[in-house]
Amino acid sequence: MSAGTVRDPGFPTERENYLTNSKGILSWMFTLDHKRIGVMYLIGVSISFALGGLLALAIRLHLMDPDGWMFRGADANNIYNQVFTLHGAIMVFLFIIPSIPGALGNFLVPVMLGAKDVAFPRLNLSSFYLWVFGAVFFVMALLSSGLDTGWTFYTPYSTTTDTSVIMATMGAFILGFSSIFTGLNFIVTINTMRPPGMTWFRMPLFLWATYATSIIQVLATPVLGITLLLLIAERTMQIGIFNPEFNGDPVTYQHFFWFYSHPAVYIMILPAFGIISEIISVHSHKHIFGYRFIAYSSIAIALLGFLVWGHHMFTAGMSSLTTIVFSALTFTVSIPSAIKVFNWLATMYKGSISLTSPMCYGISFIFLFTIGGLTGLHLGTLATDQHLHDTYFVVAHFHYVMVGGTLVAFLGGVFHWWPKLFGKMFNETGGRISAVLVFLGFNLTFLPQFVLGSRGMPRRYATYDPEFAFLHQMSTYGALLLGFGILVAFITLMHSLFRGKRAPANPWGGATLEWNCTSPPPFYNFERAPVVGDPYDFHDIEWQESDERYVTVQPERKLAPEADPSKSPAHASHKH
Amino acid sequence: MAMLPAAFSLLSDYTEDYAWFPDSASTFAADSDWLYYAITAVCIFFFIPISICLFYFAAKYRKAKGEKAESQVSHNTPIELLWSIGPSIFMVGMFVMGARAYLDMRTIPEGANEIGVQSSKWSWSMDYGRGTYHPELHLLVNEPVKLTMQSSDVIHSLYIPAFRAKKDVVPGRYNYMWFHPTKVTEKVSDEELANATKITEESATAWDYDKWQFTPDGYRFYDLYCAEYCGQDHSQMQTVVVVHETREDLDAWIKKYSSRGSDTLEAYGEKLYARRGCIGCHTTNGTSGTGPTYKDAFGTTRQLANGEKVTMDENYVRESILVPKAKVVAGFQPVMPSYKGQLSDDDLDSLVAYIKSLSANAETTSEADAEATPEENAE
Ligand code: HEM
Ligand SMILES: [Cu+2]
């Protein structure tokens, strides 16, 4: 079709892809290959998500009726409290925080960077096993005497309740190490293992996002670890840090806890921003708009994120001055997020948009995350937060960010990279239907909760006043629809493993390095050292109708006789 | 579709299914609601263009596979600066107004009426002074009131949606809040009240606030919730707020609850059991809750957590109410708050009499005791 040399690695052979190059369960359990570790994480976080999701459905079904529908009898409230605690704790500690870095990050960071593996493959494997270990602790807490503190473990309730707080906090402590190891590994990998030509500003934005996330993981998680150890010490030895009975102060705990957990919110959302930047650009076949602004804003969010924890405590009785300072800082962090939304829209403008499944999730993300972000303004504003704090408005807000944002981005990312992960194409119709169902179900679940909260419905209530019943019921129907949408996504992906067409190296026409290797990638990721260029330059990517795939076409360059090819660097890309 | 009524009836009444806000019944409500609407307006101002662009671009620039994009522009610094700085201006506005209204909420006016609040799992007790305690919060319209709040166990949070006011109640410290009620709650007609009272008495159950939507004294009310998760019955930790029109009316209500009046000890004890929150942890039907049941308890021998044994007599009951941690029954956590200084001698006697009345065997022994003691003394 066009003049020039076509670069396309074709299909992998049976032997040279990472899935098949060695066989047997042990070859997986003791693998040091970041791609296999990523796949194991993917399975692990998916199981956690399924568990947390079933608990979410239980919560919603219980709230069908003002007096409680699902759990009955004298213990109904206790069971409800345990269910929402486990839902929150599992979703946060076992799913949202590890999902993108653990599963997609592990798989993609070295490939997108053009490296053979992460810097410390053994540390990487150990961080996965720490995750498993922490998860086991959580499940044990669930099976022993339950856990009913809420995922925040607020003192003095958590130091006095007789449920398995220690088991669960140990779990969270271990998961913290897993998170730190992953972050450390990515920081070192990105700093030291970039191949020639991969300058900082040629890194795909997903890597920038991962880098920013890793900084938070390494700096903030230790604080959580220490806090949880103090909590355990307080519970067992009553040393009097948090419990007023021994001259402690419960608000100190909240400061410690949120000093980690607020930045942790950005561990949840930053990698999602990275995924969306990739999806929007690749499926619009257009250079990402404002690359540097997006890259810098990731770092800005990571740093500012450390300064705003106090906004979880606007009603706790901090001094007025402290409260006001925290409110001001909170607003500063919303600006970098707003910038990203505008950049994504500008990227779509005059693009060549394919409405593939990942793109449907990407569009859905922008819509939902915008709502989540904007409603944060009501909570950052001091006067309105007095009314809205600890109501369903907050529940709706953080689900718009975490579920509408991170989960939707995660699903989009899984669809986007699925052909690369497993070498199979999924059924586009199934994928798109799932995106639409998730979008509709999600909004039906959480829009009513903004109204509930504005009307004064407090959160974490097992029973409620009858005037809230209608909105709660709507929310429950939404949750069922949402669950169904996720099921459709799951079936579509599973179906592809067995019936899917073989995936070409570059099914979407992306310019980042991972589309340069076969799908699935070979054991060492690349057959030949990849040529690094601008990750969002789509000029030489052409669709080949005959083979139904995108290939990279390098134009035959006619050098002017006086131009001396030795003067230009080997990895030079052609800027337009 | 079902969302629409909610969106379009912003100003309708709280008791209707589709109100956006509860009643606006304090001076904070106007500021808070105004800001809420202003912020929402800004959000919509940004959200509508964003979503139009989003879906419009997705439709307009949809291309067949392989077709090249119309443009590959990768940045435009003036535009990027514009959309970074533009929204910031709105945010400064929100921050400033929010902080100013908030300072109002924090600056307690001098001469505000004072009410003490004691919160414990899972009940509220309002201290009206002179030994009068009651779970309902009764206020006077158009007068600022200051609450001095303390918690005897975990963190709770006092939240009155109609006042747009919320504050955590943190154990180990006093937290303060104030507000200025602006709307009187009505009183229902005497017939309505008499009817509800009769039905409640006949069914021998506690007063059902949700069902009647007025208090046992016939006042309509605003809800008061606990907003900070505090364990098992967090969602039942609710009470009501009544705003009186005149001081006489308020004083009459307070007086009504300041002493036993013409009730018998037993009957008054039963009221205190419900009113002072014992009901939250102690049942009278034999099942144990957070604390031991009262049924058939009086006169028995209790096994204590520290291994000792003690007979449940008047002194033990009295001590357990005033210094609950002194003798904790085995199998229970030492979580009961102390009522020291909050109950008059007559209140204590009433509670003891009520607890006694719940024990079949105590009835006889205690009556025998009561008669026997003077005789013994006489001997
Ligand atoms: C990625 C998915 C999700 C995440 C990360 C997530 C996270 C959370 C968290 C952190 C909490 C707070 C728990 C607490 O207060 O202790 C929570 C509560 C809740 N979630 Fe989710 N959630 C997710 C999905 C869902 C879904 C799909 C539903 C409904 C279908 C749901 C319904 C609820 C409800 C009703 C509550 C209780 C609110 C409360 O009173 O605290 N969540 N969730
Ligand atoms: Cu409470």
Side-chain angles (χ1 to χ4, degrees), chain B residues 22 225 262 278 357:
Chain B
Y225 299 119
S262 59
C278 324
S357 75

Side-chain angles (χ1 to χ4, degrees), chain A residues 356-372:
Chain A
T356 53
S357 310
M359 189 63 176
C360 292
Y361 277 103
I363 291 172
S364 168
F365 171 96
I366 297 182
F367 187 91
L368 301 175
F369 175 74
T370 305
I371 297 182

Side-chain angles (χ1 to χ4, degrees), chain A residues 92-105:
Chain A
V92 168
F93 293 115
L94 293 182
F95 176 68
I96 282 276
I97 291 182
S99 60
I100 301 180
L104 296 175

Side-chain angles (χ1 to χ4, degrees), chain B residues 30-44:
Chain B
D31 276 351
S32 169
D33 295 359
W34 183 86
L35 256 172
Y36 183 105
Y37 289 131
I39 298 167
T40 309
V42 173
C43 292
I44 291 174

Side-chain angles (χ1 to χ4, degrees), chain A residues 7-12 502-506 516-519 549:
Chain A
R7 267 199 298 119
D8 179 47
F11 293 107
R502 275 178 105 187
N506 193 354
N516 271 323
C517 60
T518 55
S519 312
R549 60 177 129 156

Side-chain angles (χ1 to χ4, degrees), chain A residues 77-78 148 285 287 290 293 315 318 350 352-353 378 386-387 389 454-455 460-461 465 467 539 541, chain B residues 14 17 19-20 36 40 61 63 67-68 72 74 80 106 159 166 168 225-226 229 232-234:
Chain A
N77 288 357
N78 273 333
D148 70 342
H285 301 95
H287 197 290
F293 264 71
T315 66
M318 292 186 293
K350 294 200 174 169
S352 163
I353 295 177
H378 297 81
Q386 301 297 303
H387 176 51
H389 177 74
S454 305
R455 286 175 61 184
R460 298 177 167 181
Y461 265 26
D465 288 352
E467 68 255 29
H539 280 97
I541 295 173
Chain B
Y14 178 31
D17 253 2
W20 192 271
Y36 183 105
T40 309
Y61 299 114
K63 297 266 161 71
E67 234 180 287
K68 292 283 180 188
Q72 288 289 351
S74 65
E80 287 177 76
R106 289 295 291 262
Y159 175 33
K166 179 182 295 119
D168 293 0
Y225 299 119
C226 174
Y229 172 71
Q232 179 179 309
D233 287 339
H234 169 54

Side-chain angles (χ1 to χ4, degrees), chain A residues 149 152-161 163 165 231 235 253, chain B residues 154:
Chain A
T149 57
T152 50
F153 305 112
Y154 268 18
T155 55
Y157 187 72
S158 59
T159 54
T160 49
T161 174
T163 53
V165 174
L231 177 64
R235 236 186 110 89
Y253 175 84
Chain B
V154 301

Side-chain angles (χ1 to χ4, degrees), chain A residues 192-388:
Chain A
T192 64
M193 298 185 57
R194 282 172 287 130
M198 179 59 86
T199 60
W200 283 94
F201 291 108
R202 278 196 186 154
M203 276 191 350
L205 287 166
F206 181 71
L207 294 186
W208 272 98
T210 313
Y211 194 78
T213 311
S214 304
I215 294 176
I216 309 178
Q217 284 177 302
V218 170
L219 292 184
T221 316
V223 180
L224 178 73
I226 294 165
T227 310
L228 294 178
L229 284 188
L230 286 175
L231 177 64
I232 293 174
E234 176 96 20
R235 236 186 110 89
T236 50
M237 297 180 277
Q238 314 189 321
I239 52 178
I241 301 171
F242 305 133
N243 193 341
E245 230 179 295
F246 314 107
N247 288 320
D249 180 6
V251 180
T252 309
Y253 175 84
Q254 300 183 9
H255 279 289
F256 282 8
F257 180 83
W258 288 112
F259 184 77
Y260 162 77
S261 291
H262 193 81
V265 173
Y266 298 107
I267 301 181
M268 307 175 199
I269 195 70
L270 275 174
F273 290 161
I275 292 181
I276 296 303
S277 299
E278 301 301 327
I279 290 183
I280 297 292
S281 162
V282 170
H283 297 267
S284 304
H285 301 95
K286 181 163 163 245
H287 197 290
I288 188 89
F289 190 87
Y291 174 92
R292 286 191 185 227
F293 264 71
I294 299 185
Y296 286 137
S297 69
S298 288
I299 303 293
I301 290 174
L303 298 179
L304 290 173
F306 278 98
L307 304 177
V308 303
W309 76 90
H311 70 210
H312 296 271
M313 300 150 65
F314 282 164
T315 66
M318 292 186 293
S319 79
S320 300
L321 181 65
T322 322
T323 315
I324 287 172
V325 169
F326 275 125
S327 166
L329 289 169
T330 299
F331 281 107
T332 62
V333 91
S334 49
I335 294 174
S337 322
I339 294 175
K340 295 198 192 228
V341 170
F342 296 134
N343 278 310
W344 292 322
L345 288 176
T347 304
M348 288 169 69
Y349 178 67
K350 294 200 174 169
S352 163
I353 295 177
S354 326
L355 286 183
T356 53
S357 310
M359 189 63 176
C360 292
Y361 277 103
I363 291 172
S364 168
F365 171 96
I366 297 182
F367 187 91
L368 301 175
F369 175 74
T370 305
I371 297 182
L374 288 172
T375 50
L377 298 174
H378 297 81
L379 299 171
T381 305
L382 284 171
T384 38
D385 182 66
Q386 301 297 303
H387 176 51
L388 300 172

